[in-house]
Structure formats: structure tokens, C-alpha cells
Amino acid sequence: MATVDLACSVPNNVGLREKPGLRKSLEWFDVEFRKWWFDCGPAGIRDNEIYLRTPVGVDPGGWAQYAFVPLSQYRWGVFQAPAKPGRVALFGAIAGQPVWQTLPQEHRDYIRKLLVTQGDTEPGSVEQSRQLALTAPSLYDLRNLLQFSVEEGRHLWAVVHLLFEHFGADRHEDAQGLLARRSGSVGNPRILDAFNNPLQDWLSYFMWCFLADRDGKYQLLSVSDSAFEPLARSTRFMLYEEAHHMFIGHDGLRRVIQRTIDLMREHETDDVAPHGGINLSTVQRYFNFWAPRIYDLFGSDESVRAADAFCAGIKGRVNESNCDEHVRLEGTVSIERRVPGRSGEFEVVEVPVKDALNGVMRQAYLHEVTQLMSRWNKLLSQAGIGFELRLPSQRFNRRFGAYADQRFSPAGDPVDEAVFEARRGEWLPTGAERAYLRAVQQPVRARGLLAGWLAPPTRGINDMPALDFDYVRF
């Protein structure tokens, strides 16, 4: 296992000192990346010192240190999880064969597209959330946003490193493309539609971290046992950092809901907006807006491409090592298909598991998210509040897949266009709600203080005080 070289121009544990050509390419990328960062990174934060977690090792038990770092001097780098000597392919037609250290020619196009698509999501997340640095509800929350941003940036570095090391003449072109596209751009948008929606308020940001970064976890887990060993090792390291992003979302939403409960009790009303809170109905409508965009990220339930990637040993199921059989994938699963020639009608069919791997992954994701949401519903129940937050149906407001361009209610019932438009304000965030959130979410940058629309965190970062600590120095 290569040791971590923090003295190299690019911090790494992949032996860049012995690879001068690769190091030079990454040094070029560092210059280009910083140009992008200063244009598209967190707004209003440049030379401030931030209390950040930074990798210094590759052992999951002690891989990072906490320290104040001037954001303009932050050093991104390339880190991979420790190699497993003698590792063999876990799944697909090559199960039991030695994993690849270099790419077989027949899989280069697929893996390059996989890397470019994954890499494109990382700067997309930073661009979507950049304006939120101006309206953070506390120094604690601002620090978490900045930690999220630098780690999304490092995940881009992980992808670019794989492109530089394992692909040829197009590697710089691919890297430039990852920096040239812009979230929400009309002419040059991010590849996946979900990453072209700006996060204009902190409720959306918490939703994004809770829902989209959890999808990111599932996508990383699906290649964490890949036969392409450098990809597997890179994604396993990325998962260390992804866990904190999901925590930001889950705990952030808990704090919003807890504050709403407190205001509802204090003022004996369901409408806490006049008291600076966020109504539960608003939270539900935001779930209805964001969840369908995340559902789309899993792709179509049936996918020949996903089946081929499994057979090749490139992309498996989530936690593939926990499954009983890794080759034939015998058995079937139920999915919905459109009935040919009958608009708006669907039928349930049984298809082989190998042909529905995207759907299998989405169902595992939905089960996890539903279980986590049950914790918030328990809080509401214990407070005597007869309201339950729910994920919308997989049919609702989809843009891709079998349900695209069809109208359904959040419960999944078919409706016509007129009904959908008439109830849009009941099901999806209204312009007035969005404006209210932007108005109420004023920045709080004083040590020990917190905005009034969410509860305080229960613990701070790295055993520091939750609020009475200068996580970001102004």
C-alpha cells in the first residue's frame, strides 16, 4: 500500500512521485480547477479560515484531521482506499478471476462514460449550492456546507485522476468538459437533469443532501466491488466522505421539523410561517419536488446497459458481497411497463433480475429513505401532531423512464393535465413558498447564534461545541 504523500504538489497515496507525466497532468488540472472554484465555488467565501476535515491517511479508522484552513489555500488531492492483495472479481461472468489493474480494451468506452457522468455530478452539486453560503443559518451550518463543497471537489479529482491515468489523448478534453459545463446552463448544462436545478434555499439543500447524496452512496456502492480495481478503491474512499453529506441532510431536516414542532406547540397553530418557521405542508411539497428528480438518477428499471455492466464485472448491486449468488442472478422481479398502444395505462410484469438492476437498486434506496423518514414521523406522533411526511409515488412528476410525460398524483393515481395543474399548488412548492423561504433564511454569522427556523444541532464537529465555536472565521 502506498503511503500518503502530503509533501507532493498534489497530496496523494497513488505514487505520483514515480509518475511524472501523471503528476504533471494533475498539476495542470489543479490550475484549471482553481479557476473554476473561484468562479463557481461557495459565494462570498475566499480567504476565510474554515474548520475542515482533511484526508491525511487511508485507514478508515484514522484517515483525516481537523484544522483551520484558509479556503483559498485548500489542497485537493487523490486518495484511494487500501488495496486487498489477491483480490478477485466478485460478480459477473469473470467472477473468481483476478481484478484488472489496467482496463481491458472492450470496456474502455463504457467506463469512460461512467466516469465522465459521475465526475460531472460533483462540480454540479457545488454550483447548485454556491449561493447558500450567503444565507447560512449558523457558523456550524456554513462550515458543513463548505466541507460538503470541498469534498465534492475532491470526488471530481478522483474521477479526473482515473481518466488521466487510464485513458489516452482525450483525457484533458474530458477534464476540461467537466469544468466547462454549468449547472442550469441553457447551452452547456450538466449531464444529468437533477444537477441543473439550483438550490435556492436551505430546505432544498437539506433535501438534496438527504436524497441525492444517498443516491450517490448507492451509485458508489455499486462500483465499490468493481473488477476495475482503481475504480473500486477510489469509490471506497469517497464513501468515507459521502456519509457526512448524508448526515447534513438527515440531521438538517430533523432540526427543521423539530423547530416546527416547537413553534406549533408554542403558538397552538399549524401555520408557523407568521412565527418564522417552516410549515410541515411546505416540507412535504419540497419532498414532492425533489424526490422525483432523484428517482430519475437511477435510470430506467429495465436496462440492457446495466445488465451488461454486471456481466462484465464492472457495476454490481449495492453491497454485492452480501448477496448469495453473483453470476446468473436467477429469479425475477416485478416492474411496471406501459401498455403498448394505450396511453397512460401500465401493467405489472415479471422480468429477470439481471435486466432490472436499476429498479432493484431504486427499491433498496426507497426502503432506506422510508425507514429514515419514519424517525421524523415518530417525532411528530410523540408531539401529538397528526401529520406524516411521505415520499411521493415513483410515478409522480417523473421526467425519465416509463412514467415520463404522464400525470399522476403524489399517491400514484392517474390524473389528467387539468387536474394536475389545478392541484399543482397543493402538491408542489408555490412561488410564494419559495419566496418566503428565501426571505426568512437570513444569514447568521455570529458565534453562538442560530436562525429561528431550525433547531440547534445536538453536537458539534469533532467534539467542538455545537454553536459556540468559530467554525468559519470572518
Side-chain angles (χ1 to χ4, degrees):
M1 179 180 68
T3 59
V4 175
D5 184 354
L6 297 176
C8 184
S9 57
V10 177
N12 75 96
N13 72 318
V14 296
L16 290 184
R17 287 187 185 274
E18 290 72 46
K19 302 172 182 177
L22 177 59
R23 186 177 72 248
K24 183 176 180 181
S25 290
L26 287 169
E27 289 170 347
W28 165 84
F29 180 72
D30 184 48
V31 173
E32 298 302 310
F33 176 86
R34 288 179 183 278
K35 293 176 184 176
W36 168 84
W37 177 263
F38 288 129
D39 287 343
C40 301
I45 305 293
R46 184 65 62 92
D47 296 318
N48 307 76
E49 290 188 333
I50 319 297
Y51 189 67
L52 292 175
R53 175 181 69 178
T54 302
V56 293
V58 294
D59 180 355
W63 62 274
Q65 68 179 12
Y66 290 84
F68 280 98
V69 181
L71 197 59
S72 61
Q73 299 175 29
Y74 189 84
R75 298 176 71 210
W76 286 270
V78 179
F79 302 91
Q80 293 183 341
K84 297 179 180 179
R87 180 172 171 258
V88 297
L90 176 63
F91 59 90
I94 64 167
Q97 299 178 25
V99 294
W100 315 315
Q101 301 302 325
T102 57
L103 268 174
Q105 185 64 36
E106 63 268 27
H107 300 312
R108 290 177 64 82
D109 288 345
Y110 176 83
I111 291 183
R112 179 184 170 193
K113 183 174 181 180
L114 178 70
L115 290 173
V116 169
T117 302
Q118 174 65 42
D120 195 72
T121 68
E122 315 296 355
S125 287
V126 176
E127 291 167 354
Q128 284 177 296
S129 58
R130 72 178 307 265
Q131 295 296 332
L132 294 176
L134 302 174
T135 59
S138 71
L139 293 179
Y140 166 90
D141 292 290
L142 177 56
R143 177 265 170 207
N144 280 347
L145 171 70
L146 300 174
Q147 184 76 60
F148 164 91
S149 298
V150 297
E151 289 176 350
E152 295 292 274
R154 181 160 41 255
H155 297 179
L156 172 61
W157 272 78
V159 169
V160 169
H161 163 247
L162 293 175
L163 288 169
F164 281 166
E165 182 154 28
H166 297 281
F167 291 86
D170 291 337
R171 58 192 184 181
H172 283 75
E173 180 181 340
D174 286 337
Q176 286 174 323
L178 292 169
L179 297 176
R181 286 183 286 274
R182 292 287 184 273
S183 175
S185 166
V186 175
N188 196 18
R190 291 294 167 188
I191 295 171
L192 299 177
D193 180 69
F195 293 85
N196 289 304
N197 293 271
L199 304 175
Q200 297 178 328
D201 55 74
W202 278 77
L203 181 59
S204 290
Y205 175 63
F206 291 147
M207 291 272 177
W208 182 262
C209 290
F210 178 66
L211 294 171
D213 280 271
R214 199 166 308 279
D215 164 78
K217 179 189 82 167
Y218 274 66
Q219 300 299 337
L220 292 174
L221 283 172
S222 71
V223 293
S224 64
D225 289 312
S226 176
F228 182 31
E229 175 78 344
L231 173 61
R233 292 177 60 199
S234 294
T235 53
R236 284 196 174 276
F237 190 87
M238 291 160 72
L239 284 163
Y240 300 163
E241 299 180 322
E242 201 73 64
H244 182 64
H245 306 177
M246 292 183 289
F247 166 80
I248 292 171
H250 183 261
D251 197 60
L253 289 170
R254 178 197 63 79
R255 293 164 59 205
V256 171
I257 294 164
Q258 184 60 62
R259 180 58 175 158
T260 298
I261 290 172
D262 294 342
L263 289 171
M264 290 174 71
R265 285 173 157 178
E266 179 183 351
H267 298 283
E268 298 183 348
T269 179
D270 292 340
D271 183 9
V272 298
H275 309 288
I278 300 176
N279 289 329
L280 294 174
S281 57
T282 298
V283 176
Q284 181 62 66
R285 279 188 280 273
Y286 269 68
F287 266 114
N288 292 349
F289 177 83
W290 286 110
R293 283 157 174 74
I294 311 309
Y295 298 163
D296 283 341
L297 292 176
F298 287 90
S300 299
D301 280 354
E302 289 184 273
S303 171
V304 172
R305 183 184 293 270
D308 289 345
F310 181 91
C311 183
I314 298 169
K315 186 176 182 180
R317 291 164 290 185
V318 173
N319 297 321
E320 180 66 39
S321 59
N322 294 338
C323 299
D324 294 330
E325 191 271 316
H326 307 289
V327 180
R328 293 179 297 276
L329 299 192
E330 294 177 348
T332 62
V333 295
S334 300
I335 66 166
E336 279 194 325
R337 281 182 185 160
R338 290 189 183 187
V339 177
R342 296 163 67 178
S343 177
E345 294 190 30
F346 294 82
E347 60 183 353
V348 177
V349 297
E350 294 291 318
V351 300
V353 172
K354 68 179 180 63
D355 295 333
L357 291 174
N358 289 343
V360 169
M361 186 189 297
R362 186 187 291 111
Q363 291 307 313
Y365 167 88
L366 291 172
H367 176 74
E368 179 178 330
V369 172
T370 301
Q371 290 296 108
L372 291 170
M373 291 178 68
S374 70
R375 300 177 185 178
W376 306 329
N377 288 327
K378 185 176 181 180
L379 289 177
L380 295 170
S381 177
Q382 290 173 339
I385 296 173
F387 192 101
E388 186 172 296
L389 292 164
R390 297 177 179 271
L391 283 176
S393 165
Q394 294 178 74
R395 293 177 165 188
F396 179 69
N397 209 31
R398 296 288 295 280
R399 298 186 178 187
F400 301 99
Y403 307 115
D405 305 319
Q406 305 288 314
R407 291 303 195 186
F408 298 92
S409 72
D413 300 320
V415 297
D416 61 27
E417 185 70 23
V419 169
F420 187 91
E421 289 302 323
R423 302 189 68 178
R424 178 183 288 274
E426 175 187 346
W427 292 340
L428 293 168
T430 65
E433 281 177 310
R434 294 183 184 278
Y436 168 76
L437 289 186
R438 291 195 295 272
V440 76
Q441 293 181 5
Q442 297 298 312
V444 176
R445 291 186 169 181
R447 177 173 172 168
L449 298 184
L450 175 73
W453 53 268
L454 78 173
T458 55
R459 65 181 187 275
I461 302 299
N462 192 33
D463 296 325
M464 296 300 175
L467 292 175
D468 193 16
F469 185 71
D470 54 345
Y471 289 102
V472 181
R473 292 172 173 172
F474 287 95

